[in-house]
Amino acid sequence: MRCKPLIWARDTPKPMGDVLAIQDLTAGYGRALALRGITLSVPAGHNIGIVGPNGAGKSTLFKVLSGIVPARTGGAVFEGQALHKMSPDRIVRAGVVQVPEGRQVFPGLSVAENLWLGGYAAPREREGRRAEVLKLFPRLRERIDQAADSLSGGEQQMLAIGRGLMAAPRLLLLDEPTSVSLR
Amino acid sequence: MIVGQLVDALQAMTDRFGVTLVIAEQSIQLTQELCSTIHVLVDGRIVRSVLPEEADRNTLMDAYLGQG
């Protein structure tokens, strides 16, 4: 069943078309199938949620979209580009960036260094992006020289999202951003 | 940072950067706040797709139990 998009209580009209189309996607590990014929689309200007219990395949779906796990059948097209045929670094450069579950910041590096690394795919935009990220998460500005592992859970989540934004994504895949303590 | 603050930050992010979000979650709260469609994934299959206002714990439980 595919739902028509909700009309948001916002004044701005949403653009038309799909930014991401996933068609009959199957993937797995060894003999185990983790995704069984996933078909869905992400209309431009609309966020979508994937909700499910542990082991449902949510992270595997993101790993396929990020080029980390290969598709066995079907595929995913982002703005006309077949993600399932691209390497992870090309996918990031194309504008699809994943913020993995559990934050996975670089613990021994500072906030500034973590953000800097996130911008490897968009080096020309690094400075401007960093300023925007710090505007969005002022707490990170206060902690800019602190080691990432000295931050609270919530601050590390901000850093993980901020690091993802540094790559100048147009599609951001957030894997269970509330799964860890946000305090 | 509590969930409400994360919602505010992500909403500001989509407005400021024009980025589209795909959010995977076990709970529905965040996706209800930010998403126009919520797909329920069970055992590698999309078993139900609902609007945020239709997504409640009972709907999810039914979907998880194969009654959706």
Side-chain angles (χ1 to χ4, degrees):
Chain A
M1 169 185 163
R2 181 173 167 209
C3 295
K4 59 184 178 184
L6 171 74
I7 299 168
W8 278 40
R10 313 214 186 290
D11 295 328
T12 47
K14 298 294 181 184
M16 303 296 286
D18 293 335
V19 290
L20 177 70
I22 300 171
Q23 185 68 42
D24 197 25
L25 182 66
T26 300
Y29 309 93
R31 291 183 180 176
L33 271 186
L35 298 176
R36 303 162 188 265
I38 299 288
T39 296
L40 62 86
S41 58
V42 181
H46 290 269
N47 304 319
I48 70 156
I50 310 284
V51 176
N54 255 337
K58 305 185 296 295
S59 295
T60 300
L61 175 61
F62 280 3
K63 285 176 182 170
V64 173
L65 296 177
S66 299
I68 297 166
V69 169
R72 291 191 184 169
T73 65
V77 175
F78 169 71
E79 294 181 344
Q81 301 172 87
L83 296 181
H84 54 286
K85 296 178 180 174
M86 295 164 65
S87 61
D89 64 306
R90 278 188 62 208
I91 289 173
V92 171
R93 289 176 210 281
V96 179
V97 173
Q98 181 184 170
V99 177
E101 183 182 1
R103 305 175 301 240
Q104 298 186 22
V105 294
F106 298 106
L109 300 184
S110 69
V111 168
E113 290 166 332
N114 268 275
L115 292 177
W116 187 257
L117 285 173
Y120 82 96
R124 283 184 217 162
E125 298 179 43
R126 262 188 177 137
E127 287 303 330
R129 277 265 155 184
R130 185 181 121 126
E132 288 292 326
V133 167
L134 295 179
K135 225 184 274 180
L136 186 66
F137 297 116
R139 188 78 67 85
L140 295 182
R141 184 189 300 280
E142 297 166 14
R143 308 271 191 271
I144 195 75
D145 293 320
Q146 277 186 226
D149 55 1
S150 71
L151 304 180
S152 71
E155 289 165 347
Q156 287 189 30
Q157 187 62 67
M158 290 179 207
L159 179 56
I161 294 169
R163 187 183 59 190
L165 285 173
M166 288 293 293
R170 295 194 298 287
L171 182 68
L172 196 62
L173 311 172
L174 294 171
D175 195 357
E176 301 205 22
T178 65
S179 67
V180 289
S181 169
L182 291 176
R183 295 187 183 279
Chain B
M1 184 167 63
I2 56 175
V3 173
Q5 289 174 301
L6 182 61
V7 168
D8 291 343
L10 293 175
Q11 188 60 63
M13 189 177 82
T14 57
D15 293 344
R16 189 175 296 177
F17 293 95
V19 64
T20 298
L21 304 178
V22 179
I23 304 172
E25 271 290 342
Q26 289 192 43
S27 65
I28 55 175
Q29 185 184 357
L30 188 70
T31 53
Q32 270 184 314
E33 296 280 351
L34 291 166
C35 299
S36 54
T37 305
I38 299 170
H39 300 282
V40 183
L41 186 66
V42 178
D43 196 23
R45 293 186 176 91
I46 301 282
V47 296
R48 201 142 181 217
S49 300
V50 296
L51 299 175
E53 63 268 29
E54 298 169 338
D56 56 28
R57 287 178 61 84
N58 290 338
T59 304
L60 280 189
M61 292 299 287
D62 286 349
Y64 290 174
L65 294 171
Q67 297 164 10

